[in-house]
Amino acid sequence: MSKNFTSTLCLAADAASLVVAVSVLCQGGLVAFPTETVYGLGADATNPHAVAGIYAAKERPQFNPLIAHVASLEAAQEQGVFNAAAIKLAHAFWPGPLTLVLKAAPSCTVSDLARSGLETLALRVPNHPLALALLAQCSFPMVAPSANRSGRISPTAAQHVLEDLDDRIDAVLDGGVCAVGVESTIISCVSETPRLLRAGGIGLEEIERVLGFALEAATAPASGITAPGQLASHYAPRAAVRLNALQAQPDELLLGFGADAPENTALNLSSSGDLQEAAANLFAFMRELDRRGTLRLAVMPIPRHGLGLAINDRLERAAAPRE
Ligand code: TXA
Ligand code: MG
């Protein structure tokens, strides 16, 4: 089934679809599914052939390590070595938009290819009923990068997945629109002091409150050491992006934020200035402005706290010079 994508099945969110999805995954196929952050492109993490299929479908330039998704902390503990901080964070935020990078456990079954040959691995328990039902029915962890072609915007609806990957994957489970809208926050707990690798769906402040101390800062993405997938240019719409704009130039469409957005704003991420609403709208609005055919996109400033960190991170990647 995984070798012959004549057309991608679009599956409704019901029990019969789950049976089909599980069967495809068990045979080494690729199934996109909703999580609370973005849609993931799922495959059996223990099957290197299936994992290779993900890189092929996404046209990923490198074999970046992938996040292994599991149904529970117990399942995660078979795969990774949890220190005290990791346990604390998992209890506080799982299921939810937090990924932990840990030393691989001796019983780890995630394939070397999915881990890029690293001694560590990334683990997450997603907070979405369909994702959890799927994971509960699979006897293996599931790797799932965002279900977009490499370098494109992450999908927050089944339709976005089809725009990028139709005929390249076996199926997509349609669970509606993703509530969080930006990818998970990634924290490394490989050494004693946890470190932030990617800003995401859980604000830094919340994480530091649980830990009781400030996190070590993220390594600059350009250095590419700790999170090899973090290319500077990423999450790119087709249009060129200009940040911190208060007005649109005549040839630009303006992506607004807050109550002060000018009248000619094309779309407003949140007219009430709510960062959660803005995160949930971010990727779908960038796609929509691309669809309107603009070559230039201007984006209003977004505050740098809470989910604003992740939103600014994604916008900076969208605005970075293209590789
Ligand atoms: O919200 C999310 O995290 C979504 C949904 C589908 O779960 N997934 C996602 O996966 O964003 P992806 O593949 O687009 O991003 C995974 C990130 C990459 O930046 C990768 O380099 C990093 O996780 N990563 C994975 N394993 C790692 C490891 N062992 N050490 C450091 N970074 C790692
Ligand atoms: Mg991605």
Side-chain angles (χ1 to χ4, degrees), residues 35 37-40 58 60 64-67 69 99 101 118 120-122 124 144-146 182-184 186 197-198 226-230 235:
T35 79
T37 57
V38 300
Y39 274 71
K58 284 182 61 92
R60 269 209 175 182
N64 298 322
L66 303 174
I67 299 171
H69 295 65
T99 294
V101 171
L118 297 171
T120 56
L121 88 162
R124 172 161 120 79
S146 49
V182 291
E183 296 84 348
S184 58
I186 305 182
L197 299 186
R198 176 174 78 182
T226 45
Q230 300 269 59
Y235 306 101

Side-chain angles (χ1 to χ4, degrees), residues 18-315:
L18 279 176
V19 173
V20 174
V22 171
S23 142
V24 170
L25 289 164
C26 287
Q27 293 172 63
L30 305 181
V31 177
F33 63 96
T35 79
E36 78 281 33
T37 57
V38 300
Y39 274 71
L41 179 57
D44 175 354
T46 68
N47 177 343
H49 182 80
V51 175
I54 286 186
Y55 295 114
K58 284 182 61 92
E59 294 179 26
R60 269 209 175 182
Q62 304 135 348
F63 290 162
N64 298 322
L66 303 174
I67 299 171
H69 295 65
V70 291
S72 64
L73 173 57
E74 291 64 43
Q77 283 174 309
E78 286 172 25
Q79 304 296 331
V81 178
F82 282 71
N83 60 18
I87 288 282
K88 229 182 193 178
L89 292 172
H91 277 142
F93 298 112
W94 279 355
L98 173 74
T99 294
L100 295 174
V101 171
L102 306 172
K103 266 183 206 140
S107 54
C108 178
T109 55
V110 175
S111 65
D112 278 335
L113 180 58
R115 287 159 47 198
S116 289
L118 297 171
E119 299 294 305
T120 56
L121 88 162
L123 283 164
R124 172 161 120 79
V125 180
N127 187 18
H128 191 290
L130 261 185
L132 287 171
L134 196 59
L135 291 168
Q137 290 182 36
C138 290
S139 56
F140 41 79
M142 195 152 56
V143 276
S146 49
N148 51 279
R149 278 201 221 178
S150 195
R152 297 283 321 278
I153 300 167
S154 294
T156 54
Q159 183 53 37
H160 301 164
V161 176
L162 291 172
E163 283 168 19
D164 267 22
L165 298 176
D166 195 12
D167 295 346
R168 291 173 166 237
I169 63 175
D170 293 293
V172 54
L173 271 169
D174 189 347
V177 170
C178 302
V180 176
V182 291
E183 296 84 348
S184 58
T185 302
I186 305 182
I187 304 281
S188 170
C189 291
V190 171
S191 54
E192 278 310 302
T193 329
R195 288 185 333 157
L196 174 71
L197 299 186
R198 176 174 78 182
I202 296 178
L204 208 51
E205 301 88 337
E206 277 185 78
I207 290 171
E208 291 180 339
R209 203 174 309 127
V210 166
L211 287 173
F213 54 83
L215 275 176
E216 270 183 39
T219 311
S223 76
I225 301 162
T226 45
Q230 300 269 59
L231 302 173
S233 161
H234 205 164
Y235 306 101
R238 290 197 185 85
V241 178
R242 181 169 72 89
L243 300 180
N244 299 315
L246 298 178
Q247 290 283 346
Q249 304 296 321
D251 59 345
E252 289 177 331
L253 285 185
L254 185 68
L255 183 58
F257 177 83
D260 299 333
E263 227 164 67
N264 68 349
T265 298
L267 288 172
N268 196 328
L269 288 167
S270 168
S271 44
S272 64
D274 176 11
L275 289 167
Q276 201 168 332
E277 185 187 5
N281 285 332
L282 179 67
F283 292 141
F285 282 12
M286 283 204 277
R287 267 176 199 272
E288 170 59 22
L289 294 178
D290 256 348
R291 220 176 345 250
R292 294 187 193 178
T294 183
L295 294 178
R296 296 183 184 283
L297 228 168
V299 188
M300 287 183 70
I302 313 287
R304 291 179 179 270
H305 60 81
L307 290 182
L309 274 189
I311 296 172
N312 276 294
D313 172 78
R314 304 308 185 267
L315 285 171

